[in-house]
Amino acid sequence: MSTPANNGPKSAFNTFNLVAGAILLVGLVLTVLRFTQGIGPVTNLDDNNPWGLWIGFDLLCGVALAAGGYTTSAACYIFGLKRFHSAVRPAILTAFLGYALVVFALQYDLGRPWRLPYPIFVSQGTTSLLFEVGLCVMLYLTVLFVEFTPAMFEWLGWKKIRKVVVKLTLVLTIFGVVLSTLHQSSLGALYTIAPSKLHPLWYSTYMPLYFFVSSIAAGMSMVIFEGSMSHKKLHRMMDEEYLKHHDGVVFGFGKAAALVLFGYFFIKMMGVAYDNNWHYLVSGYGLLFLTEMLGFVALPCFLYGVGVRDRNLSLIKKASIITVLGIVFNRFNVSMVAFNYHLPSSERYFPSMMEIGISVFIVTLGVVIFRFITTRMPIFFEHPDYKGDH
Amino acid sequence: MLRRTFLGMLGATCVGASLPAGAEAAGKEFKGYPGSKGVLFDATRCIGCRKCEAACNKVNKLPKPEKSFDDLAVLDTKRRTDAKTHTVVNKYGTPEHPVFRKSQCNHCLEPACASACFVKAFNKLPNGAVVYDESVCVGCRYCMVACPFEIPTYEYDEPLTPRVMKCDMCAPRQAKGQLPGCVAECPKEALIFGTRDELIKIARERIRRNPDRYVDHLYGEDEMGGTSWLYISGVPFNKIGMREDLGTKSAPELTAGALAAVPMVAGLWPVLLGGIYAVTKRNSKVADEERKEAVESAIAKASSEAEKTLSEALEKADVANKRQIEVEVKKAVEDALKPVEPEESAESGEAENSEKEES
Ligand code: SF4
Ligand code: SF4
């Protein structure tokens, strides 16, 4: 188990560990509460609002932001953009952790979480879009795990099995893209069943397409964002190969994200035109919609464009942060703000502190695991025994 | 092995998802099971006595409410069904002319809840009732998101065995030939039980005979693809808390497009992506070959030039200087060959620099 140069932070009692530890502790308490008292006492969910923050953030945002896995590996292995190679492993790891945490978070929201395998193994409700989401997420989680294993096998020194898995790269990548296309879009399609509950500016029969396209922008922005975060915090774990390509990856993804955001803006507007919803724009919800479209789609699209043209790294990184926030904003709007818009405000939903606490707990858990793995396994560097072997 | 299992499972997804999509296409014509039962609610007859609520509570053995069913003051606040209440009566209109409306599961012909459930916990029975089976329910509550009438409710306070709760049109009582509890108790015949077709005829007839008494609409005939519960009223339905903007598309129709796309994506994507891969691979192979050729020709050129210099120099030089010249020319040749691998040397230089900068 050779790990180059460096072995994690020096003292176990740094700020990060203390804060993370406190959050995890609170999370554990909340977990006990949730599973002994039930969903009701810890959440603000009710009969009108059966889905809240745990679906809106943990599931919808989690899956969208983990889209970096399939976008990066597709760019590298299918479109042959070899310069993105160094970004593949971090992206795959993030995606794997992201999905694992999505499934983990779901345990809190489900009434009988231990029955999660039921839709696949006991009683298949194939007319349900949720069935498709479930099946794809399960398969994709498996694919991501297999895609991640080479790093683990290198760390463990299991050469033979690593070789087998590496041979499967292309097949796995294609599977990943197919499964991602399906479930990313199905998450949007989940809402197509409720036209009477979702505000017309967000409801569209094109929702599956919107969710899919925006997931690409989200995935790429996450790769840029998370890359620059890690660059600051985990620099010591990166090898020359990774560092040499880092800027190139940022520019490449920045350019692609600009194009995708542009296309996304366009199809969203076409949706408004198609359903002739223009008159809704001059209302409270219209303002919200315009904020989302102009502030979180058009603006980052423009910033990405300028950033790439001027070779301005920091501008691109800013654009990536706005895009990531924009995706969260959009998923919140669809699942919570514009959902049940017809109800009087007294019957609307706002998450409880405990719901927020669980979500924070899960994100923290993700960061801690990410650090654990990247400070040990060959994620940001090539393992010395396997140099140039890809 | 791995690959085949995956393909198999993916194939199962396609087939699984395409079948219902096909079934739905036929389902557009679905107008309910022949002879299926339903209930007609006449808002002009309902007096808001809450007898139906009490009956429902009794036959379904639901917990006793805080305030008794005789307390009509509860009508002043708007209520909805909850985990302990399968039906509620609400009061609308003016105090002088109150209008009452009962709400409960409408037992849609193509229920959104059933179409949304990913474990098939909901079933539309041939007798018209939409029933729920808690033995498979995972508790995702997508059924509640999907139902346009906001009917299914959840036992949120139940930590281990929470259930979705809603009216089942007294399917067990019907099986014994009895009327649904609420219908049996209604003192004003505001509720009539019968086959849906009959009920439609009765409702039409009432509207035709008393055009001043009723608005000319039979709610539930087409809403969301049609429901087994039907409503007639003397005031517009949106005045008694019923949405008139639901449209006539059933839930399966709403999601058919998204479901139909699944096999297309699963079928086409791998082919397209494989194609793109083949092209990029071919491109990079060609590029590789071209690069190799260019490098080779550069080497050839460099060494032939070097040789030329060598022979020219040798011709000019005398034997004594020969050895020294040879050495120097060799160096020149080596130099000439060096740029062949410029990347490596340049890179390591750069990397060193950047490392220094950063540390
Ligand atoms: S009214 Fe709602 S709960 Fe009842 S059958 Fe229709 S969709 Fe299902
Ligand atoms: S909560 Fe139960 S019944 Fe409702 S959709 Fe989920 S699994 Fe089906």
Side-chain angles (χ1 to χ4, degrees):
Chain A
M1 292 192 219
S2 51
T3 309
N6 213 311
N7 286 304
K10 276 145 214 103
S11 153
F13 290 98
N14 49 30
T15 348
F16 174 84
N17 286 2
L18 286 176
V19 174
I23 295 176
L24 295 187
L25 214 67
V26 174
L28 285 180
V29 175
L30 293 177
T31 305
V32 172
L33 272 180
R34 153 67 186 91
F35 288 105
T36 51
Q37 309 291 302
I39 298 174
V42 292
T43 69
N44 281 346
L45 298 175
D46 58 31
D47 292 328
N48 286 330
N49 301 286
W51 284 1
L53 187 69
W54 290 345
I55 296 294
F57 181 72
D58 302 5
L59 177 73
L60 294 186
C61 297
V63 167
L65 296 176
Y70 84 93
T71 41
T72 313
S73 52
C76 177
Y77 296 125
I78 298 177
F79 292 86
L81 307 173
K82 286 287 151 55
R83 64 202 148 102
F84 294 150
H85 192 261
S86 62
V88 170
R89 275 201 179 170
I92 293 280
L93 173 63
T94 318
F96 172 59
L97 286 181
Y99 277 89
L101 289 174
V102 164
V103 175
F104 177 69
L106 215 52
Q107 309 300 314
Y108 290 80
D109 193 71
L110 292 175
R112 307 194 195 197
W114 52 92
R115 285 185 177 173
L116 191 53
Y118 272 34
I120 291 155
F121 298 109
V122 177
S123 175
Q124 295 81 5
T126 46
T127 52
S128 173
L129 283 154
L130 199 59
F131 174 77
E132 198 198 321
V133 172
L135 185 58
C136 287
V137 168
M138 186 197 81
L139 289 175
Y140 188 44
L141 191 59
T142 319
V143 169
L144 280 170
F145 178 71
V146 179
E147 283 185 304
F148 162 73
T149 50
M152 197 172 72
F153 293 146
E154 286 173 18
W155 179 58
L156 295 168
W158 298 0
K159 298 198 179 181
K160 268 200 197 125
I161 178 150
R162 175 196 170 274
K163 215 171 157 190
V164 176
V165 178
V166 168
K167 281 224 176 80
L168 289 172
T169 303
L170 181 68
V171 181
L172 288 174
T173 306
I174 291 188
F175 257 115
V177 176
V178 173
L179 294 169
S180 296
T181 311
L182 289 176
H183 72 256
Q184 293 284 1
S185 53
S186 303
L187 284 178
L190 282 182
Y191 289 89
T192 54
I193 204 167
S196 58
K197 295 188 179 177
L198 186 55
H199 191 280
L201 282 173
W202 282 270
Y203 184 89
S204 160
T205 41
Y206 295 123
M207 257 190 299
L209 191 65
Y210 295 162
F211 268 58
F212 174 61
V213 174
S214 57
S215 84
I216 300 176
M220 290 175 166
S221 302
M222 263 314 262
V223 170
I224 298 175
F225 173 65
E226 174 230 278
S228 54
M229 284 295 287
S230 311
H231 218 270
K232 273 195 209 130
K233 306 280 176 205
L234 293 163
H235 197 275
R236 58 206 153 79
M237 295 314 295
M238 299 172 175
D239 67 357
E240 289 154 19
E241 185 68 16
Y242 180 87
L243 293 172
K244 189 179 81 194
H245 285 124
H246 177 258
D247 292 0
V249 171
V250 171
F251 285 127
F253 271 31
K255 193 169 170 183
L259 290 173
V260 173
L261 282 173
F262 182 78
Y264 178 65
F265 186 86
F266 196 69
I267 56 173
K268 281 283 271 192
M269 283 313 172
M270 286 198 351
V272 176
Y274 184 78
D275 294 328
N276 203 5
N277 282 334
W278 298 111
H279 58 284
Y280 287 110
L281 287 181
V282 284
S283 66
Y285 279 105
L287 199 65
L288 191 72
F289 183 78
L290 286 176
T291 312
E292 187 187 317
M293 293 315 296
L294 297 177
F296 291 100
V297 181
L299 178 67
C301 172
F302 174 74
L303 293 182
Y304 268 132
V306 174
V308 170
R309 191 195 63 196
D310 300 348
R311 304 245 111 204
N312 183 341
L313 269 183
S314 81
L315 196 60
I316 294 184
K317 284 175 186 170
K318 281 191 193 100
S320 77
I321 295 173
I322 300 177
T323 313
V324 167
L325 291 177
I327 288 293
V328 175
F329 191 48
N330 171 259
R331 300 303 194 253
F332 275 17
N333 284 340
V334 171
S335 64
M336 291 180 274
V337 185
F339 191 77
N340 273 340
Y341 73 105
H342 61 288
L343 293 181
S345 54
S346 60
E347 290 171 31
R348 298 295 304 275
Y349 162 86
F350 193 85
S352 72
M353 282 315 285
M354 289 191 260
E355 283 176 272
I356 299 173
I358 291 286
S359 292
V360 172
F361 163 68
I362 286 166
V363 172
T364 312
L365 200 62
V367 176
V368 168
I369 302 176
F370 186 78
R371 265 172 68 118
F372 178 87
I373 295 180
T374 49
T375 48
R376 282 165 184 79
M377 298 184 197
I379 304 296
F380 291 117
F381 58 90
E382 281 193 304
H383 196 283
D385 297 357
Y386 307 91
K387 272 254 184 277
D389 172 20
H390 288 287
Chain B
M1 247 275 290
L2 206 52
R3 179 181 186 163
R4 206 161 296 153
T5 341
F6 274 139
L7 277 174
M9 289 179 108
L10 197 70
T13 333
C14 308
V15 175
S18 63
L19 281 182
E24 267 140 28
K28 275 177 194 159
E29 313 298 328
F30 187 68
K31 277 285 158 229
Y33 291 101
S36 75
K37 299 292 196 290
V39 176
L40 173 65
F41 172 78
D42 188 334
T44 65
R45 297 189 178 199
C46 177
I47 54 164
C49 64
R50 301 186 68 206
K51 291 267 187 314
C52 54
E53 286 188 35
C56 178
N57 179 278
K58 200 169 113 206
V59 305
N60 289 301
K61 301 193 180 65
L62 297 168
K64 279 273 157 277
E66 278 170 40
K67 289 182 187 155
S68 90
F69 288 107
D70 302 328
D71 182 355
L72 297 185
V74 286
L75 289 170
D76 292 334
T77 41
K78 189 189 149 208
R79 296 172 301 145
R80 64 153 290 158
T81 55
D82 62 37
K84 298 173 182 134
T85 327
H86 292 344
T87 185
V88 292
V89 177
N90 274 314
K91 186 160 85 177
Y92 301 90
T94 57
E96 306 85 61
H97 300 286
V99 185
F100 301 95
R101 199 256 305 179
K102 176 180 178 310
S103 80
Q104 71 300 305
C105 174
N106 284 328
H107 299 277
C108 309
L109 299 185
E110 292 179 82
C113 54
S115 150
C117 180
F118 68 163
V119 286
K120 286 198 296 202
F122 285 98
N123 265 304
K124 175 85 179 169
L125 302 181
N127 71 8
V130 176
V131 292
Y132 162 77
D133 170 10
E134 66 165 293
S135 74
V136 288
C137 176
V138 181
C140 67
R141 306 187 298 285
Y142 187 33
C143 48
M144 298 166 70
V145 169
C147 173
F149 303 107
E150 283 155 5
I151 290 304
T153 67
Y154 202 59
E155 295 183 314
Y156 282 108
D157 294 333
E158 192 59 57
L160 291 174
T161 54
R163 291 170 295 173
V164 170
M165 303 295 277
K166 76 168 191 70
C167 152
D168 60 358
M169 209 152 93
C170 286
R173 281 171 64 94
Q174 279 196 50
K176 285 188 270 173
Q178 290 168 307
L179 287 176
C182 51
V183 178
E185 275 316 294
C186 181
K188 285 285 171 187
E189 286 191 346
L191 297 167
I192 312 177
F193 180 81
T195 66
R196 189 171 184 268
D197 298 334
E198 269 168 29
L199 295 176
I200 291 176
K201 276 193 205 117
I202 295 173
R204 283 263 162 72
E205 187 63 16
R206 282 190 195 174
I207 295 174
R208 195 185 60 78
R209 289 234 192 120
N210 304 290
D212 307 330
R213 195 179 155 103
Y214 294 103
V215 292
D216 187 14
H217 181 60
L218 174 53
Y219 194 100
E221 189 178 12
D222 297 314
E223 272 78 9
M224 288 303 290
T227 58
S228 291
W229 275 68
L230 299 161
Y231 301 79
I232 46 177
S233 161
V235 295
F237 287 96
N238 60 25
K239 292 274 184 326
I240 51 172
M242 299 175 80
R243 295 190 67 168
E244 294 188 289
D245 58 349
L246 295 178
T248 57
K249 266 194 190 159
S250 69
E253 267 178 90
L254 290 167
T255 50
L259 279 169
V262 172
M264 282 300 148
V265 172
L268 263 184
W269 248 152
V271 180
L272 286 178
L273 295 172
I276 294 171
Y277 170 73
V279 171
T280 51
K281 201 178 166 196
R282 168 98 193 109
N283 280 349
S284 70
K285 207 169 151 198
V286 169
D288 270 352
E289 267 162 17
E290 278 171 358
R291 197 179 314 135
K292 228 196 246 156
E293 258 170 40
V295 168
E296 268 162 15
S297 74
I299 293 177
K301 207 169 142 206
S303 37
S304 76
E305 261 172 25
E307 254 162 42
K308 213 167 104 201
T309 335
L310 174 67
S311 56
E312 274 169 12
L314 283 181
E315 264 168 34
K316 282 181 199 162
D318 59 358
V319 181
N321 289 331
K322 238 182 189 171
R323 181 72 203 130
Q324 199 193 340
I325 290 168
E326 233 176 355
V327 170
E328 247 157 44
V329 170
K330 222 184 204 161
K331 238 200 250 159
V333 173
E334 270 163 18
D335 278 351
L337 286 176
K338 235 184 192 164
V340 164
E341 304 155 295
E343 279 180 38
E344 280 240 335
S345 50
E347 268 163 31
S348 55
E350 258 176 42
E352 268 166 32
N353 285 344
S354 64
E355 251 184 9
K356 262 177 221 149
E357 272 167 36
E358 256 136 11
S359 61

mmCIF file of all heavy atoms in Angstrom, chain A residues 97-111:
data_model
loop_
_atom_site.group_PDB
_atom_site.id
_atom_site.type_symbol
_atom_site.label_atom_id
_atom_site.label_comp_id
_atom_site.label_asym_id
_atom_site.label_seq_id
_atom_site.Cartn_x
_atom_site.Cartn_y
_atom_site.Cartn_z
ATOM 1 N N LEU A 97 -19.712 8.483 -4.504
ATOM 2 C CA LEU A 97 -20.083 8.909 -3.153
ATOM 3 C C LEU A 97 -21.428 9.623 -3.179
ATOM 4 O O LEU A 97 -22.281 9.404 -2.317
ATOM 5 C CB LEU A 97 -19.019 9.844 -2.587
ATOM 6 C CG LEU A 97 -17.718 9.182 -2.163
ATOM 7 C CD1 LEU A 97 -16.769 10.227 -1.613
ATOM 8 C CD2 LEU A 97 -17.997 8.114 -1.118
ATOM 9 N N GLY A 98 -21.610 10.478 -4.203
ATOM 10 C CA GLY A 98 -22.864 11.216 -4.325
ATOM 11 C C GLY A 98 -24.053 10.273 -4.361
ATOM 12 O O GLY A 98 -25.003 10.416 -3.582
ATOM 13 N N TYR A 99 -23.988 9.277 -5.210
ATOM 14 C CA TYR A 99 -25.118 8.355 -5.344
ATOM 15 C C TYR A 99 -25.289 7.505 -4.095
ATOM 16 O O TYR A 99 -26.402 7.243 -3.665
ATOM 17 C CB TYR A 99 -24.937 7.453 -6.571
ATOM 18 C CG TYR A 99 -25.388 8.115 -7.834
ATOM 19 C CD1 TYR A 99 -24.508 8.875 -8.585
ATOM 20 C CD2 TYR A 99 -26.705 8.000 -8.265
ATOM 21 C CE1 TYR A 99 -24.921 9.498 -9.738
ATOM 22 C CE2 TYR A 99 -27.122 8.629 -9.428
ATOM 23 C CZ TYR A 99 -26.228 9.371 -10.155
ATOM 24 O OH TYR A 99 -26.648 9.992 -11.290
ATOM 25 N N ALA A 100 -24.162 7.074 -3.530
ATOM 26 C CA ALA A 100 -24.275 6.262 -2.320
ATOM 27 C C ALA A 100 -24.979 7.062 -1.238
ATOM 28 O O ALA A 100 -25.834 6.543 -0.513
ATOM 29 C CB ALA A 100 -22.885 5.825 -1.865
ATOM 30 N N LEU A 101 -24.659 8.346 -1.164
ATOM 31 C CA LEU A 101 -25.279 9.178 -0.140
ATOM 32 C C LEU A 101 -26.749 9.455 -0.465
ATOM 33 O O LEU A 101 -27.565 9.588 0.437
ATOM 34 C CB LEU A 101 -24.504 10.477 0.029
ATOM 35 C CG LEU A 101 -23.154 10.290 0.706
ATOM 36 C CD1 LEU A 101 -22.376 11.594 0.715
ATOM 37 C CD2 LEU A 101 -23.317 9.771 2.131
ATOM 38 N N VAL A 102 -27.051 9.555 -1.764
ATOM 39 C CA VAL A 102 -28.458 9.725 -2.149
ATOM 40 C C VAL A 102 -29.269 8.547 -1.620
ATOM 41 O O VAL A 102 -30.320 8.709 -0.996
ATOM 42 C CB VAL A 102 -28.601 9.819 -3.679
ATOM 43 C CG1 VAL A 102 -30.048 9.600 -4.096
ATOM 44 C CG2 VAL A 102 -28.112 11.180 -4.171
ATOM 45 N N VAL A 103 -28.755 7.361 -1.840
ATOM 46 C CA VAL A 103 -29.459 6.166 -1.387
ATOM 47 C C VAL A 103 -29.524 6.135 0.140
ATOM 48 O O VAL A 103 -30.551 5.813 0.733
ATOM 49 C CB VAL A 103 -28.776 4.895 -1.927
ATOM 50 C CG1 VAL A 103 -29.427 3.654 -1.355
ATOM 51 C CG2 VAL A 103 -28.840 4.878 -3.444
ATOM 52 N N PHE A 104 -28.430 6.549 0.758
ATOM 53 C CA PHE A 104 -28.394 6.598 2.212
ATOM 54 C C PHE A 104 -29.444 7.592 2.733
ATOM 55 O O PHE A 104 -30.226 7.282 3.637
ATOM 56 C CB PHE A 104 -26.983 7.008 2.663
ATOM 57 C CG PHE A 104 -26.837 7.155 4.152
ATOM 58 C CD1 PHE A 104 -26.892 6.039 4.969
ATOM 59 C CD2 PHE A 104 -26.630 8.405 4.723
ATOM 60 C CE1 PHE A 104 -26.758 6.177 6.337
ATOM 61 C CE2 PHE A 104 -26.494 8.545 6.089
ATOM 62 C CZ PHE A 104 -26.564 7.427 6.901
ATOM 63 N N ALA A 105 -29.474 8.765 2.107
ATOM 64 C CA ALA A 105 -30.409 9.805 2.549
ATOM 65 C C ALA A 105 -31.854 9.351 2.382
ATOM 66 O O ALA A 105 -32.724 9.705 3.168
ATOM 67 C CB ALA A 105 -30.166 11.094 1.761
ATOM 68 N N LEU A 106 -32.080 8.560 1.362
ATOM 69 C CA LEU A 106 -33.433 8.073 1.087
ATOM 70 C C LEU A 106 -33.974 7.260 2.256
ATOM 71 O O LEU A 106 -35.179 7.224 2.505
ATOM 72 C CB LEU A 106 -33.378 7.208 -0.174
ATOM 73 C CG LEU A 106 -34.582 7.255 -1.097
ATOM 74 C CD1 LEU A 106 -34.920 8.697 -1.435
ATOM 75 C CD2 LEU A 106 -34.289 6.482 -2.362
ATOM 76 N N GLN A 107 -33.079 6.624 2.980
ATOM 77 C CA GLN A 107 -33.516 5.814 4.121
ATOM 78 C C GLN A 107 -34.295 6.639 5.136
ATOM 79 O O GLN A 107 -35.179 6.140 5.806
ATOM 80 C CB GLN A 107 -32.318 5.164 4.835
ATOM 81 C CG GLN A 107 -31.365 4.424 3.925
ATOM 82 C CD GLN A 107 -32.048 3.301 3.201
ATOM 83 O OE1 GLN A 107 -32.781 2.532 3.788
ATOM 84 N NE2 GLN A 107 -31.839 3.232 1.890
ATOM 85 N N TYR A 108 -33.930 7.912 5.231
ATOM 86 C CA TYR A 108 -34.613 8.765 6.198
ATOM 87 C C TYR A 108 -36.022 9.093 5.721
ATOM 88 O O TYR A 108 -36.942 9.226 6.515
ATOM 89 C CB TYR A 108 -33.826 10.058 6.409
ATOM 90 C CG TYR A 108 -32.530 9.857 7.157
ATOM 91 C CD1 TYR A 108 -31.397 9.392 6.493
ATOM 92 C CD2 TYR A 108 -32.450 10.100 8.514
ATOM 93 C CE1 TYR A 108 -30.216 9.183 7.167
ATOM 94 C CE2 TYR A 108 -31.262 9.897 9.204
ATOM 95 C CZ TYR A 108 -30.151 9.436 8.518
ATOM 96 O OH TYR A 108 -28.983 9.224 9.190
ATOM 97 N N ASP A 109 -36.142 9.280 4.409
ATOM 98 C CA ASP A 109 -37.408 9.766 3.877
ATOM 99 C C ASP A 109 -38.436 8.656 3.684
ATOM 100 O O ASP A 109 -39.636 8.900 3.757
ATOM 101 C CB ASP A 109 -37.161 10.467 2.538
ATOM 102 C CG ASP A 109 -38.374 11.254 2.099
ATOM 103 O OD1 ASP A 109 -38.653 12.281 2.734
ATOM 104 O OD2 ASP A 109 -39.064 10.824 1.169
ATOM 105 N N LEU A 110 -37.964 7.454 3.434
ATOM 106 C CA LEU A 110 -38.907 6.372 3.184
ATOM 107 C C LEU A 110 -39.579 5.941 4.484
ATOM 108 O O LEU A 110 -38.942 5.870 5.532
ATOM 109 C CB LEU A 110 -38.183 5.159 2.580
ATOM 110 C CG LEU A 110 -37.649 5.351 1.171
ATOM 111 C CD1 LEU A 110 -36.862 4.119 0.747
ATOM 112 C CD2 LEU A 110 -38.778 5.618 0.196
ATOM 113 N N GLY A 111 -40.868 5.620 4.374
ATOM 114 C CA GLY A 111 -41.584 5.174 5.554
ATOM 115 C C GLY A 111 -41.083 3.831 6.054
ATOM 116 O O GLY A 111 -40.963 3.589 7.252
#
